């Protein structure tokens, strides 16, 4: 399974036409203690880099943008009552939504893990 | 670091602890060490140490009445008993709040005035301009201030400095020898928990910081946790909830204004009392985990009726809480409101202060 990143620090793990989306460890660390996660509705259509949901920490509120276009098929509603999981496991247990990917060609607009690591060094 | 920022004597300790630093009131201050929620929880259950050296301290020595100090604040200075402190305001002519502050009665003819960091230079100039005599000095740079707050803070203080600390009642202070220097230990704070504000000469403040942290019941806490702690008990933050455009009457703080004495701003306040205020401070709880934030709009029936001045996610209540100002028809306890900002919208209900009622502050 390949993992791709956006400049806004979301990740997507791609398996066939299923994309699993979350925010990066870096983003979770920068936000600090996560207190609220707003998830999309199942069945919603999202577009690449369009708003998928939002996340709040004690310090700040931010939108979460979708790395790819598609249709939301699953959400991790455990985060609604336990948003702190984002701080504990941003790139695994705290996945936020799964989508049916509309167009894998959009992956060219994303960064690989190595590219993202290099990008973080420039921030 | 911004070259215009001032650093407290503890600054290198914060960096060694890998604190997240940010500007506050013109100072480079620690926002968090391990995390705001962990630090908040530690303070509510154990004892937290805060570097508060950025706050301003002034000394007035002289006759309070002929020197003019008696008319400077919204409360009487001469009636503060020795060894006690009092909270109140420095107002402008319009009754707006230039600062909220605490005055400590050190001696028959001497007080210490403790003010907010961002407003300290202006406060000093305004007070000096109103005085007619006496000696008025800014001792901020020479004064270190640490707050030890939390239900275990008394036990910690007694362990280090002896039983004398255990006898200090709320809003009273003692002067005692700590690390070989004269130190003021005051039973006051900004967290809603049992705690102390400690004023020690600046050259000894790092030593006191290090000493208190040798106790495993004590951990450092930053301004992030301090803001959550103070809002849970409904204390106002100068610059957010109160400012020069806000009077104590609108802010629900009339209890700290003594209309039986003379003070600058009194005429404006009396006029406002007669006319009636047009907005008032409210507290509200959010129906959920979203945080209201400073400047978010407060709406009722689709119309903006006010604005949020402070808001956070309360870890102890598990929901968003906030303070704001609204028009008078929306101030009753139980009034439903909508807090909104761009895409964000949350339902809220007007409630009583404090949000968190079980603090150890008067224990």
């Amino acid at each position: 399974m390949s993992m791709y990143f956006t400049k806004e620090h979301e990740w997507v793990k791609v398996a066939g036409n299923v994309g699993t989306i979350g925010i990066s460890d870096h983003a979770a660390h920068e936000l600090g203690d996560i207190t609220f996660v707003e998830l999309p509705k199942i069945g919603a259509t999202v577009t690449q880099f369009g708003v998928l949901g939002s996340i709040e920490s004690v310090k700040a509120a931010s939108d979460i943008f979708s790395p790819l276009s598609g249709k939301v098929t699953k959400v991790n509603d455990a985060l609604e009552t336990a948003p702190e999981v984002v701080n504990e496991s941003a790139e695994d247990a705290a996945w936020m939504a799964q989508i049916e990917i509309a167009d894998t060609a959009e992956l060219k607009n994303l960064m690989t893990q190595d590219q993202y690591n290099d990008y973080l060094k420039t921030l | 670091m911004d070259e215009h920022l001032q650093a407290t004597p503890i600054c290198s300790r914060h960096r060694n602890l890998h604190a997240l630093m940010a500007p506050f009131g013109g100072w480079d201050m620690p926002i968090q060490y391990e995390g705001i929620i962990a630090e908040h929880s530690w303070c509510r259950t154990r004892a937290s140490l805060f570097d508060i050296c950025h706050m301003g301290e002034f000394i007035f020595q002289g006759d309070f009445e002929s020197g003019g100090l008696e008319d400077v604040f919204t409360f009487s200075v001469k009636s503060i008993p020795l060894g006690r402190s009092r909270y109140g305001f420095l107002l402008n002519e319009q009754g707006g709040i230039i600062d909220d502050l605490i005055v400590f009665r050190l001696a028959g003819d001497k007080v210490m005035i403790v003010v907010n960091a961002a407003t300290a230079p202006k406060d000093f100039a305004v007070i000096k301009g109103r005085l007619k005599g006496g000696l008025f000095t800014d001792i901020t740079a020479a004064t270190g201030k640490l707050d030890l707050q939390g239900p275990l803070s008394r036990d910690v203080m007694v362990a280090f400095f002896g039983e004398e600390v255990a006898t200090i009642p709320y809003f009273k202070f003692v002067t005692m020898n700590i690390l070989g220097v004269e130190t003021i230990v005051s039973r006051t704070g900004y967290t809603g928990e049992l705690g102390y504000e400690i004023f020690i000469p600046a050259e000894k403040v790092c030593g006191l910081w290090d000493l208190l942290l040798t106790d495993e019941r004590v951990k450092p806490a930053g301004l992030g946790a301090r803001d959550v702690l103070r809002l849970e008990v409904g204390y106002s933050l100068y610059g957010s909830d109160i400012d020069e455009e806000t009077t104590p009457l609108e802010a629900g703080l009339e209890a700290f204004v003594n209309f039986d004495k003379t003070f600058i701003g009194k005429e404006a306040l009396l006029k406002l009392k007669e006319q009636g205020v047009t907005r008032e401070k409210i507290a509200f709880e959010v129906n959920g985990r979203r945080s209201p934030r400073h400047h978010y709009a407060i709406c009722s029936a689709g119309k903006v009726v006010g604005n949020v001045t402070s808001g956070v996610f309360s870890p102890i209540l598990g929901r968003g809480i906030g303070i704001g100002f609204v028009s008078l028809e929306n101030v009753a306890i139980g009034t439903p409101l909508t807090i909104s900002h761009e895409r964000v919208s949350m339902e809220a209900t007007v409630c009583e202060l404090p949000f968190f009622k079980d603090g150890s502050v008067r224990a």
Side-chain angles (χ1 to χ4, degrees):
Chain A
M1 186 155 38
S2 321
M3 195 170 180
Y4 299 86
F5 293 84
T6 69
K7 285 190 171 178
E8 300 287 343
H9 309 285
E10 292 88 8
W11 54 259
V12 57
K13 289 177 189 170
V14 178
N17 72 335
V18 176
T20 305
I21 298 168
I23 67 163
S24 72
D25 286 331
H26 170 84
H29 181 75
E30 287 294 304
L31 284 164
D33 293 323
I34 305 298
T35 55
F36 173 80
V37 178
E38 180 196 29
L39 300 167
K41 295 210 169 20
I42 290 174
T45 304
V46 293
T47 54
Q48 189 174 36
F49 308 133
V51 173
L52 178 80
S54 66
I55 190 160
E56 296 191 1
S57 71
V58 182
K59 289 185 287 186
S62 321
D63 283 331
I64 301 166
F65 300 100
S66 185
L68 294 169
S69 302
K71 189 172 163 184
V72 177
T73 54
K74 261 189 188 177
V75 295
N76 186 2
D77 47 22
L79 298 180
E80 287 174 353
T81 48
E84 62 275 11
V85 175
V86 179
N87 293 112
E88 293 155 10
S89 180
E91 296 188 5
D92 186 16
W95 64 276
M96 289 170 187
Q98 243 175 35
I99 61 166
E100 194 181 295
I101 299 171
D103 181 5
T104 49
E106 287 178 350
L107 289 170
K108 69 176 189 304
N109 303 325
L110 303 176
M111 289 177 275
T112 62
Q113 179 85 64
D114 286 347
Q115 288 170 327
Y116 180 65
N117 292 345
D118 289 342
Y119 170 66
L120 290 182
K121 286 176 203 154
T122 68
L123 299 182
Chain B
M1 181 180 128
D2 186 325
E3 61 186 300
H4 302 296
L5 289 177
Q6 299 189 72
T8 79
I10 321 281
C11 195
S12 64
R13 265 70 171 175
H14 303 320
R15 297 199 178 280
N16 291 340
L17 289 163
H18 305 290
L20 172 72
M21 306 292 286
F24 180 84
W27 294 71
D28 188 35
M29 296 302 292
I31 301 304
Q32 65 174 52
Y33 303 87
E34 57 175 315
I36 291 173
I37 290 182
E39 290 161 34
H40 162 278
S41 167
W42 193 269
C43 185
R44 287 263 179 260
T45 54
R46 296 177 184 85
S48 294
L49 186 61
F50 299 83
D51 173 8
I52 308 296
C53 293
H54 59 307
M55 283 182 77
E57 294 91 9
F58 312 143
I59 295 283
F60 175 87
Q61 188 153 23
D63 186 89
F64 301 142
E65 294 204 77
S66 67
L69 189 70
E70 185 62 13
D71 298 340
V72 169
F73 307 119
T74 57
F75 55 90
S76 165
V77 171
K78 67 178 183 189
S79 70
I80 305 173
L82 278 180
R84 285 198 179 266
S85 54
R86 192 168 284 170
Y87 172 84
F89 307 106
L90 176 68
L91 300 182
N92 60 29
E93 294 281 356
Q94 293 73 42
I97 301 172
I98 296 173
D99 204 3
D100 64 336
L101 46 86
I102 296 183
V103 173
F104 293 73
R105 183 76 181 263
L106 302 181
D109 65 344
K110 190 177 176 187
V111 292
M112 176 170 70
I113 303 157
V114 180
V115 304
N116 284 296
T119 43
K122 176 162 188 185
D123 293 347
F124 188 81
V126 168
I127 296 168
K128 196 169 176 59
R130 292 180 185 180
L131 294 174
K132 295 172 219 139
L135 198 62
F136 185 54
T137 43
D138 183 346
I139 59 161
T140 304
T143 308
K145 178 176 184 288
L146 299 181
D147 289 9
L148 186 71
Q149 302 274 308
L152 301 186
S153 58
R154 180 191 284 134
D155 298 344
V156 171
M157 290 295 283
V158 167
F160 284 116
F161 309 119
E163 282 294 329
E164 186 184 1
V165 181
T167 63
I168 312 172
Y170 190 46
F171 265 82
K172 237 185 149 186
F173 66 88
V174 296
T175 303
M176 55 195 292
N177 187 308
I178 288 180
L179 302 178
V181 290
E182 199 171 273
T183 301
I184 293 172
V185 178
S186 169
R187 181 68 197 283
T188 41
Y190 198 50
T191 62
E193 298 298 335
L194 170 67
Y196 302 88
E197 295 183 283
I198 309 166
F199 300 88
I200 189 166
E203 64 272 18
K204 294 288 185 182
V205 72
C206 283
L208 180 59
W209 172 270
D210 293 342
L211 178 67
L212 288 168
L213 285 179
T214 61
D215 191 308
E216 62 182 19
R217 294 169 290 188
V218 181
K219 281 189 179 184
L223 295 186
R226 184 171 159 93
D227 189 52
V228 178
L229 290 157
R230 70 92 192 168
L231 188 54
E232 283 182 336
V233 289
Y235 295 159
S236 299
L237 173 64
Y238 192 85
S240 289
D241 304 311
I242 51 176
D243 54 30
E244 290 213 41
E245 309 302 318
T246 310
T247 68
L249 304 184
E250 298 160 308
L253 298 166
E254 194 179 333
F256 305 102
V257 180
N258 180 356
F259 284 102
D260 295 332
K261 67 177 278 289
T262 308
F263 60 88
I264 288 174
K266 182 178 173 180
E267 279 174 38
L269 291 190
L270 286 173
K271 201 171 155 195
L272 188 60
K273 254 166 107 82
E274 200 181 297
Q275 293 172 338
V277 296
T278 57
R279 56 173 198 147
E280 267 181 21
K281 183 175 85 177
I282 54 155
F284 59 86
E285 284 188 352
V286 174
N287 177 23
R289 297 179 61 99
R290 271 202 189 274
S291 299
R293 291 173 201 271
H294 188 68
H295 288 320
Y296 280 16
I298 301 178
C299 306
S300 174
K303 278 167 64 178
V304 175
V305 296
N307 63 290
V308 176
T309 54
S310 281
V312 291
F313 170 77
S314 162
I316 208 148
L317 300 174
R319 58 174 64 199
I321 57 171
I323 287 175
F325 286 78
V326 294
S327 51
L328 297 186
E329 58 272 24
N330 295 290
V331 301
I333 303 297
T335 304
L337 297 168
T338 303
I339 311 301
S340 79
H341 176 73
E342 296 174 353
R343 239 172 36 79
V344 173
S345 173
M346 62 196 98
E347 299 308 310
T349 308
V350 177
C351 66
E352 283 176 0
L353 284 178
F355 298 102
F356 172 62
K357 298 172 176 66
D358 301 325
S360 57
V361 63
R362 289 172 185 276

